[in-house]
Amino acid sequence: LKDQFDNLDKHTQWGIDFLEKYAKFVKERIEIEQNYAKQLRNLVKKYCPKRSPKDEEPRFTSCIAFFNILNELNDYAGQREVVAEEMGHRVYGELMRYSHDLKTERKMHLQEGRKAQQYLDMCWKQMDNSKKKFERECREAEKAQQSYERLDNDTNATKADVEKAKQQLNLRTHMADENKNEYAAQLQNFNGEQHKHYYIVIPQIYKQLQEMDERRTIKLSECYKGFADSERKVIPIISKCLEGMILAAKSVDEHRDSQLVIDCFKSGFEPPGDFPFEDYSQNIYRTISDGTISTPKQEGMRIDTKTTVGKSKGKLWLFGKKPKPQSPPLTPTSLYTSSTPNGSQYPIFSIEPVHYCMSDIKTGKPRIPSFRSLKRGYFYLQGPALEDFSHLPPEQRRKKLQQRIDELNRELQKETDQKDALIKMKDVYEKNPQMGDPSSLQPKLTETMSNMDRLRMEIHKNEAWLSEVEGKVAARSDRRHSSDINHLVTQGRESPEGSYTDDANQEVRGPPQQHVQPSEFDDEFEDDDPLPAIGHCKAIYPFDGHNEGTLAMKEGEILYIIEEDKGDGWTRARRHNGEEGYVPTSYIDVTLEKNSKGA
């Protein structure tokens, strides 16, 4: 390699080019990893749920598993970014820095080699010049010797010419000897420099180039290893991400999802009851029966079954949606006569079938407190949701109210903790005035107390609604249970006139039942009419009623009581115009009736 300087120059340049080519490859790989991670993150962001914290959409296990998979995929994208960052820092950046240093080192070594070669060339030129000069002087000396010998042998030549030729010969000989010595010195110097050049300088330069090229090769090997290590370092985390996806897939529970669907759409309504039997033959039996039925004296005491059935039919048509399966057929209403002690007769109606029909009608449809409530529900089907969630089915309404009560209780607890902290801070300020002014905490303490009162009022109001919903659900269950029992009871002995009873002695009933029965008949539809008044009250103090669900009143105003205080300090009242709401129990003088239903 002593005379292959140009080849080594080309080889080292190829090595640097190859290094930069690999660096370019790593850069493109980094861009691929970055784009891949970016696309994965965009994909995750596209399919991630955009829900507010208060959104109560049912969380099915399949949805939760998919969201977990998206989270794991997002972590996987993060690991791809880690790979790109590691490659950029450990491989690409290192390669670019080393390539710059390698170019600088190669340039320095090549310059040293070129300087050594130039110095050797200069020595060679000096030696060559002295050689040519010595050669020229030698030829001139030979010519002078030939001229001297010719004149010395020529008999015609004068002695002066011979002496002159001899002096010229001596001069040329002396100059030839000097050039010979100079040539010998230059030759010896050139030989020494040449030996030094090929055995010391150039080998050292080549050795440095060799070491440089070997370091380049080692650096490439390290970069290859670092390239693979960047990927291998994230494999455990990527494996965890994949394991998380597998666990998310295994967490899918079809039974739980089904239960969530049931809980989400559970309305709380009872299934429709049997369709009642409508007896159109009552007029026939009434014509055949005793004519005293239509006497004016008994008209206020008897029950107009046709009117009653018509009323039930009208209400059934109003609230019903679909025809319902018919219940077992009922026989016409029986008419009995009984004698008084003075011998007069009066008609007695057996209303068991009517009572049974009304019970079926009542239990066969959702409970709607009043026609006003029906209109209110229809309005909120078209508009925003009510504050008391009355637009929802009972079961969903109960859940919503319970959730709101829990939230209000948490807020109340926060306000209570804040009040306790303020009181403690106020005590500290009072004991150590230098720490602060106690009066500066009074506005915040007043605001906290006001918030606590407001939250308590909201909690009482929502608890009242919740109690109302739970009471209605329980009453509906009881009515359905009693309806089933009545249905079984009516399967007993049938009288010849068509009334149902288990005891023949009970087929004819006395007049007192005529006074009790209308209230029982009215109870069958108490849910369809406004709640009955159980007393009245007089306002002792005025109440503004700014909050939702409260009723404003003036001092001395008379209101109907429709629901007693349940221990929360509020009583439900109604004005004469039908407006209802809650009023503070301590603001009114309550008078309850002995017979709540009759009131």
Side-chain angles (χ1 to χ4, degrees), residues 269-273 363-365 480:
F269 292 135
E270 294 291 337
T363 59
K365 63 181 180 61
R480 180 171 177 82

Side-chain angles (χ1 to χ4, degrees), residues 19-30 82-99 219-231 233:
L19 187 72
E20 292 179 344
K21 182 178 181 181
Y22 179 69
K24 184 178 179 180
F25 162 77
V26 175
K27 181 181 179 181
E28 293 181 359
R29 170 66 187 277
I30 292 172
V82 170
V83 170
E85 183 178 357
E86 184 72 14
M87 287 183 178
H89 174 71
R90 184 177 177 181
V91 181
Y92 179 73
E94 188 68 22
L95 283 174
M96 296 307 294
R97 287 191 298 270
Y98 186 75
S99 175
K219 178 60 68 175
L220 279 174
S221 175
E222 292 176 354
C223 290
Y224 295 159
K225 185 175 180 296
F227 185 85
D229 287 341
S230 300
E231 186 87 20
K233 283 182 179 179

Side-chain angles (χ1 to χ4, degrees), residues 234-275:
V234 300
I235 288 178
I237 303 178
I238 291 177
S239 299
K240 290 183 180 179
C241 294
L242 298 177
E243 290 175 2
M245 294 181 185
I246 294 175
L247 291 177
K250 292 181 179 179
S251 66
V252 176
D253 187 354
E254 66 278 7
H255 302 295
R256 183 180 176 186
D257 287 355
S258 299
Q259 189 62 39
L260 285 174
V261 174
I262 294 171
D263 295 338
C264 177
F265 300 108
K266 183 179 179 181
S267 65
F269 292 135
E270 294 291 337
D274 296 336
F275 198 87

Side-chain angles (χ1 to χ4, degrees), residues 460-475:
H460 289 324
K461 181 172 61 176
N462 284 273
E463 286 178 347
W465 289 335
L466 182 62
S467 300
E468 178 185 355
V469 174
E470 292 176 346
K472 289 182 179 180
V473 173

Side-chain angles (χ1 to χ4, degrees), residues 307-582:
T307 305
T308 303
V309 173
K311 179 181 179 182
S312 66
K313 288 172 61 181
K315 291 193 175 185
L316 182 63
W317 174 82
L318 176 61
F319 299 119
K321 292 182 179 181
K322 297 180 181 180
K324 304 171 184 176
Q326 295 187 1
S327 60
L330 300 175
T331 59
T333 305
S334 300
L335 299 176
Y336 298 94
T337 59
S338 177
S339 300
T340 60
N342 59 8
S344 62
Q345 292 183 346
Y346 60 89
I348 301 176
F349 293 86
S350 176
I351 59 173
E352 284 296 327
V354 178
H355 176 77
Y356 175 71
C357 292
M358 297 305 103
S359 176
D360 275 356
I361 293 173
K362 183 178 179 182
T363 59
K365 63 181 180 61
R367 177 177 180 178
I368 301 178
S370 63
F371 183 72
R372 184 176 52 211
S373 300
L374 177 64
K375 293 190 292 182
R376 181 175 55 195
Y378 174 77
F379 171 77
Y380 278 100
L381 285 175
Q382 315 240 339
L386 284 172
E387 182 186 6
D388 60 352
F389 302 110
S390 59
H391 63 289
L392 297 177
E395 186 67 22
Q396 301 300 322
R397 184 185 179 193
R398 183 187 65 80
K399 290 182 180 179
K400 294 285 186 180
L401 289 173
Q402 188 63 50
Q403 291 176 1
R404 180 185 289 173
I405 291 172
D406 294 340
E407 292 177 359
L408 292 173
N409 284 327
R410 287 193 292 269
E411 293 180 6
L412 180 60
Q413 184 63 36
K414 291 180 181 179
E415 295 292 337
T416 304
D417 295 340
Q418 185 175 358
K419 183 197 71 171
D420 296 340
L422 289 173
I423 292 175
K424 291 180 181 179
M425 188 179 297
K426 185 177 180 181
D427 294 340
V428 172
Y429 286 176
E430 290 175 352
K431 294 178 182 179
N432 302 299
Q434 67 275 11
M435 296 184 66
D437 184 10
S439 60
S440 63
L441 300 176
Q442 189 60 37
K444 186 65 177 178
L445 189 59
T446 304
E447 181 183 357
T448 303
M449 297 292 290
S450 176
N451 291 336
M452 290 175 62
D453 294 338
R454 178 182 57 80
L455 289 173
R456 287 195 184 100
M457 186 176 295
E458 289 290 331
I459 291 173
H460 289 324
K461 181 172 61 176
N462 284 273
E463 286 178 347
W465 289 335
L466 182 62
S467 300
E468 178 185 355
V469 174
E470 292 176 346
K472 289 182 179 180
V473 173
R476 185 180 293 107
S477 300
D478 294 341
R479 288 197 303 272
R480 180 171 177 82
H481 182 67
S482 62
S483 175
D484 294 340
I485 295 176
N486 291 335
H487 182 74
L488 295 175
V489 169
T490 56
Q491 301 292 333
R493 183 175 177 270
E494 182 179 356
S495 65
E497 296 295 329
S499 63
Y500 289 82
T501 179
D502 290 334
D503 188 359
N505 297 327
Q506 298 177 358
E507 291 179 359
V508 180
R509 304 187 179 186
Q513 295 181 355
Q514 299 178 16
H515 300 283
V516 177
Q517 192 62 39
S519 63
E520 294 177 357
F521 181 80
D522 292 339
D523 288 343
E524 298 297 330
F525 289 94
E526 65 179 3
D527 294 328
D528 299 327
D529 297 331
L531 292 176
I534 60 176
H536 64 278
C537 67
K538 181 179 180 181
I540 305 175
Y541 308 104
F543 180 64
D544 52 11
H546 291 326
N547 296 324
E548 288 287 341
T550 58
L551 181 66
M553 61 181 181
K554 301 178 181 179
E555 183 178 356
E557 185 178 359
I558 304 298
L559 303 173
Y560 292 117
I561 301 298
I562 59 177
E563 187 176 321
E564 293 184 71
D565 185 357
K566 297 183 180 180
D568 55 1
W570 295 88
T571 300
R572 190 173 180 182
R574 180 195 300 133
R575 280 202 181 92
H576 295 282
N577 59 4
E579 185 180 0
E580 298 179 2
Y582 288 91

